[in-house]
């Protein structure tokens, strides 16, 4: 894809989440991205998000590095980093682990902090790994009910309750670079 | 309680009571929450959205202190009913226009509503009349605790509550105050005031009426940051800045009264006259004139109307409310006639403003 301002390849894909018309994509080369971001209007928090997201991708990154990052895929929900950059919305709680490095810089830009100081929920889930496992088990349970495998569904329900009550995880967390699970089709019912 | 019954009533947040209610219409606190065992809405399939809605509904039903909650399935509503809930500030415009299984749970007194399957699985909001963020925060904290005992929220030990958009992560909390600032608009001081707010992490947004029409004199002030501060600190951030804006608006009103009282009085009276006598009037025009009349009532230039009546008219003259109150679908032209008649019956010499509300 070419830069919207010149003939060079567009290596920055900035999503302006302008209200109320919805997201608008801007595709720019590094040079024009610098100019664009320096003129960024920070009046709106959503505009600021898009600008910060692009900034934290480090202007010195090569097109190859950016392309690799864009292809990074969450093994739980199937969202790619490019998809997140376009929509400005994440696909599941595990994305915060999967895209940890890139999101960490973004969160720091937006909030000036990466550490929660507020209230905590009554029912603890422990970590995003546990939340990832809960998503998988919930999907498996639903499939078991649909297939009328009620005994299996009951076992899965008990496992979910056990995890929610602080029990050990039945398996290790997946690698962030692993292929998506078959039951987490990235195209399934996305809105 | 049914949805139709809401149309003739008005939520507590519109009563025009509470501190600083001449300038602050309402205070709102919103929390974004997601359930740990489901993907976020963007990646949830149809079945998962339905499971979320059913699970949340069941858990809400089991909370004994929420006995009369109205759980509304948005998919089954027609366009007027969806628009009605948006006008009533009980759900977002995005939710009205979205697709798929989604719902809103409404407290009968409209003290709170909970959107299910909006951008996040849950969006809880509490509204109070006037500047009363502390009460709003205490109420939503309790609601969140009650619901959080039944549901397992997506939470990260370091990052806090996990949300679909990174701008909401941490507390998931947006504290906002809806302000009526007509004098700052007239004196063209509004931009200057808001530019100064950018430096302290407070966001300012105009409010939109029908379609994308801009409700010129209403502004929402809210916190930008949600991570790295406690909820109490976020309340304090907004609570500290709002009195400054109130002071600016009061000074602008004082300036207008001192420097051009006749012009101001004339402007307010003409607006009142049009609202009382017009035979057809658009939504945009109505909002424009109601804003002037509201300021006129607060400045004592008009003494025959209660501020509560004006607040209610802002909501009840909007398109979906008019159609709900009339009980039938109305074209734009018919709405303009109905709106004029409705305004006359509440503001005119034989008004029933306090009798039927």
């Amino acid at each position: 894809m070419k830069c919207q301002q010149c003939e060079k390849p567009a290596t920055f894909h900035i999503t302006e989440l302008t209200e109320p018309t919805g997201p608008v994509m801007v595709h720019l080369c590094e040079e024009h991205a610098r100019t664009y971001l320096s003129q960024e209007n920070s009046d709106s928090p959503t505009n600021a998000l898009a600008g910060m997201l692009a900034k934290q991708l480090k202007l010195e990154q090569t097109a190859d590095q950016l392309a690799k990052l864009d292809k990074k895929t969450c093994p739980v929900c199937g969202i790619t980093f490019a998809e997140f950059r376009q929509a400005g919305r994440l696909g599941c709680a595990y994305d915060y682990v999967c895209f940890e490095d890139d999101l960490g810089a973004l969160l720091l830009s937006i909030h000036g902090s990466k550490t929660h100081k507020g209230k905590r929920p009554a029912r603890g889930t422990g970590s995003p790994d546990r939340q990832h496992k809960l998503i998988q088990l919930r999907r498996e349970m639903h499939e078991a009910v649909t297939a009328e495998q009620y005994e299996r569904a009951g076992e899965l329900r008990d496992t979910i309750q056990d995890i929610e009550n602080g029990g050990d995880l039945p398996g290790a967390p997946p690698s962030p670079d692993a292929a998506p699970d078959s039951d987490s089709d990235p195209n399934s019912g996305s809105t | 309680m049914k949805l139709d019954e809401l149309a003739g009533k008005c939520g507590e947040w519109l009563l025009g009571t509470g501190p600083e209610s001449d300038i602050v219409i309402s205070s709102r606190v919103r929390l974004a929450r997601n359930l740990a065992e489901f993907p976020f809405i963007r990646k949830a399939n149809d079945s998962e959205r339905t499971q979320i809605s059913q699970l949340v509904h069941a858990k809400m039903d089991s909370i004994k202190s929420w006995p009369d909650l109205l759980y509304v399935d948005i998919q089954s509503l027609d366009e007027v009913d969806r628009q009605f809930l948006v006008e009533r500030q009980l759900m977002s415009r995005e939710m009205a226009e979205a697709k798929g299984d989604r719902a809103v749970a409404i407290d009968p007194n409209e003290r709170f509503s909970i959107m299910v399957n909006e951008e996040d699985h849950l969006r809880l909001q509490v509204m109070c009349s006037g500047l009363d963020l502390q009460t709003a925060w205490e109420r939503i904290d309790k609601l969140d605790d009650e619901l959080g005992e039944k549901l397992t929220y997506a939470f990260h030990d370091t990052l806090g509550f996990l949300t679909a958009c990174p701008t909401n992560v941490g507390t998931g909390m947006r504290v906002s105050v809806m302000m009526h600032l007509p004098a700052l608009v007239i004196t063209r001081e509004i931009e200057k005031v808001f530019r100064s707010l950018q430096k302290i992490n407070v966001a300012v947004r105009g409010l939109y009426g029908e379609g994308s029409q801009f409700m010129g004199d209403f502004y929402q002030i809210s916190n930008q940051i949600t991570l790295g501060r406690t909820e109490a600190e976020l309340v304090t951030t907004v609570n500290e800045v709002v009195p400054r804006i109130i002071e600016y608006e009061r000074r602008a009103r004082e300036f207008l009264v001192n420097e051009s009282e006749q012009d101001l009085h004339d402007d307010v009276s003409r607006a009142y006259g049009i609202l009382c006598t017009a035979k057809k009037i658009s939504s945009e025009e109505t909002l424009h004139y109601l804003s002037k009349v509201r300021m006129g009532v607060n400045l004592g230039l008009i003494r025959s109307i209660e501020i509560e009546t004006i607040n209610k008219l802002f909501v009840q003259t909007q398109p979906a409310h008019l159609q709900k109150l009339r009980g039938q679908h109305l074209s734009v032209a018919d709405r303009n006639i109905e709106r004029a008649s409705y305004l006359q019956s509440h503001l005119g010499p034989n008004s029933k403003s306090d009798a039927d509300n």
Side-chain angles (χ1 to χ4, degrees), chain B residues 140-153:
Chain B
I140 205 164
D141 186 31
K142 185 166 180 287
L143 290 173
D144 182 44
D145 286 347
E146 286 177 302
L147 202 51
E149 281 171 16
K150 307 276 180 184
L151 298 165
T152 309
Y153 291 148

Side-chain angles (χ1 to χ4, degrees), chain A residues 5 19 30 34 38 40 52 73 85 127 141 156 191:
Chain A
Q5 308 281 329
E19 297 168 329
E30 183 179 328
R34 278 182 199 277
S38 67
E40 173 204 329
M52 288 167 178
T73 304
R85 285 212 289 135
S127 66
M141 183 177 76
L156 288 163
T191 52

Side-chain angles (χ1 to χ4, degrees), chain A residues 45 83 89-91 96 111 115-120 123 125 128 131 135 138-139 142 164 186 189-191, chain B residues 37 40 42-44 47-49 51 119 141 144-145 148 152 155-158 163-164 166 205 226 228 231:
Chain A
E83 205 181 324
R89 303 290 182 274
L90 294 161
Y96 283 95
H111 301 285
T115 310
H116 177 58
K117 289 184 182 165
K119 69 185 286 189
R120 307 180 84 79
R123 291 159 66 103
T125 49
Q131 290 162 43
I135 292 171
R138 170 77 64 177
R139 281 183 167 169
H142 186 69
E164 287 184 341
S190 56
T191 52
Chain B
E37 67 264 47
F40 295 156
R42 185 172 175 76
K43 283 292 176 184
S47 160
E48 285 165 334
R49 288 176 71 120
Q51 288 176 62
E119 181 181 300
D141 186 31
D144 182 44
D145 286 347
T152 309
F155 186 82
H156 186 288
D157 274 344
T158 309
T163 53
R205 293 186 188 86
T226 58
E231 288 82 359

Side-chain angles (χ1 to χ4, degrees), chain B residues 182-307:
Chain B
L184 285 173
V185 174
I186 294 169
T187 57
R188 301 183 182 180
E189 293 282 308
I190 197 95
E191 290 295 324
K192 201 162 72 184
V193 170
F194 290 155
R195 269 201 302 275
S196 70
L197 300 182
Q198 295 297 326
K199 296 166 194 161
I200 48 173
N201 290 315
V202 177
V204 182
R205 293 186 188 86
L207 294 189
Y208 291 86
E210 186 174 12
S212 60
Q213 285 168 10
F214 184 52
M215 288 169 65
D217 301 334
F218 287 92
Y219 293 89
Q220 191 170 289
I221 317 297
S222 58
N223 61 303
Q224 276 194 9
I225 288 170
T226 58
L227 177 64
R229 309 244 178 106
T230 65
E231 288 82 359
E233 285 168 343
L234 296 176
V235 169
T236 302
T237 301
V238 179
N239 250 340
E240 282 178 350
V241 78
V242 170
R244 283 168 49 194
I245 304 172
I246 292 172
E247 181 60 27
Y248 289 134
E249 171 66 16
R250 292 231 166 93
R251 268 193 234 162
R253 290 183 185 191
E254 203 178 302
F255 171 82
L256 289 174
V257 170
N258 291 338
E259 298 296 315
S260 52
E261 189 176 3
Q262 286 302 320
D263 288 346
L264 183 67
H265 206 152
D266 181 63
D267 205 24
V268 167
S269 300
R270 281 170 187 268
Y272 184 39
I274 290 169
L275 292 175
C276 289
T277 57
K279 296 300 173 200
K280 54 181 185 177
I281 189 165
S282 72
S283 175
E284 187 180 20
E285 224 183 336
T286 304
L287 297 172
H288 178 70
Y289 291 132
L290 277 176
S291 173
K292 288 180 185 295
V293 170
R294 191 179 192 279
M295 179 172 63
V297 171
N298 280 328
L299 289 174
L301 303 175
I302 298 175
R303 296 181 188 277
S304 56
I305 314 167
E306 296 293 325
I307 208 72

Side-chain angles (χ1 to χ4, degrees), chain B residues 51-63 71 147 150-151:
Chain B
Q51 288 176 62
I52 293 164
S53 183
Q54 287 172 348
L55 177 67
V56 169
H57 192 181
K59 298 297 180 187
M60 284 176 179
D61 273 352
S62 71
I63 299 176
Y71 196 85
L147 202 51
K150 307 276 180 184
L151 298 165

Side-chain angles (χ1 to χ4, degrees), chain B residues 6-249:
Chain B
L6 281 181
K9 293 167 55 185
C10 241
E12 286 185 5
W13 62 276
L14 265 175
L15 291 179
T17 56
E20 319 288 3
S21 55
D22 55 335
I23 292 170
V24 178
I25 307 277
S26 60
S27 302
R28 186 183 76 123
V29 177
R30 176 272 272 166
L31 295 176
R33 298 286 186 257
N34 286 282
L35 306 185
E37 67 264 47
F38 293 96
F40 295 156
I41 292 301
R42 185 172 175 76
K43 283 292 176 184
N45 58 35
D46 291 346
S47 160
E48 285 165 334
R49 288 176 71 120
T50 302
Q51 288 176 62
I52 293 164
S53 183
Q54 287 172 348
L55 177 67
V56 169
H57 192 181
K59 298 297 180 187
M60 284 176 179
D61 273 352
S62 71
I63 299 176
K64 287 183 181 147
S65 56
W66 304 2
D68 302 316
L69 208 58
L70 177 65
Y71 196 85
V72 183
D73 170 17
I74 305 301
Q75 274 194 119
S76 67
L77 296 184
D78 65 21
E79 204 177 318
V80 172
D81 279 339
R82 289 180 200 187
Q83 182 62 27
F84 168 74
L85 290 170
V86 175
E87 290 174 4
R88 204 57 170 249
Q89 313 243 343
L90 292 168
M91 75 170 183
S92 64
R93 188 177 298 281
E94 290 73 19
M95 183 140 176
E97 291 166 0
K99 300 220 172 342
D101 204 326
R102 60 203 190 282
V104 61
I106 303 166
D107 164 63
N109 296 315
E110 297 173 59
R111 281 176 297 197
F112 70 92
S113 72
I114 301 173
M115 286 183 273
V116 183
N117 291 346
E118 207 243 22
E119 181 181 300
D120 293 293
H121 296 154
L122 295 166
R123 288 278 177 105
L124 295 80
Q125 68 162 6
V126 163
M127 312 251 277
C128 291
S129 184
L131 179 58
D132 197 2
L133 286 172
Q134 190 57 36
T135 301
W137 158 237
E138 284 168 12
R139 281 184 187 167
I140 205 164
D141 186 31
K142 185 166 180 287
L143 290 173
D144 182 44
D145 286 347
E146 286 177 302
L147 202 51
E149 281 171 16
K150 307 276 180 184
L151 298 165
T152 309
Y153 291 148
F155 186 82
H156 186 288
D157 274 344
T158 309
L159 296 176
F161 292 94
L162 301 176
T163 53
C165 184
T167 55
N168 292 318
V169 80
T171 57
M173 182 158 120
R174 199 73 63 194
V175 179
S176 59
V177 171
M178 199 207 290
M179 304 188 76
H180 182 223
L181 306 171
L184 285 173
V185 174
I186 294 169
T187 57
R188 301 183 182 180
E189 293 282 308
I190 197 95
E191 290 295 324
K192 201 162 72 184
V193 170
F194 290 155
R195 269 201 302 275
S196 70
L197 300 182
Q198 295 297 326
K199 296 166 194 161
I200 48 173
N201 290 315
V202 177
V204 182
R205 293 186 188 86
L207 294 189
Y208 291 86
E210 186 174 12
S212 60
Q213 285 168 10
F214 184 52
M215 288 169 65
D217 301 334
F218 287 92
Y219 293 89
Q220 191 170 289
I221 317 297
S222 58
N223 61 303
Q224 276 194 9
I225 288 170
T226 58
L227 177 64
R229 309 244 178 106
T230 65
E231 288 82 359
E233 285 168 343
L234 296 176
V235 169
T236 302
T237 301
V238 179
N239 250 340
E240 282 178 350
V241 78
V242 170
R244 283 168 49 194
I245 304 172
I246 292 172
E247 181 60 27
Y248 289 134
E249 171 66 16

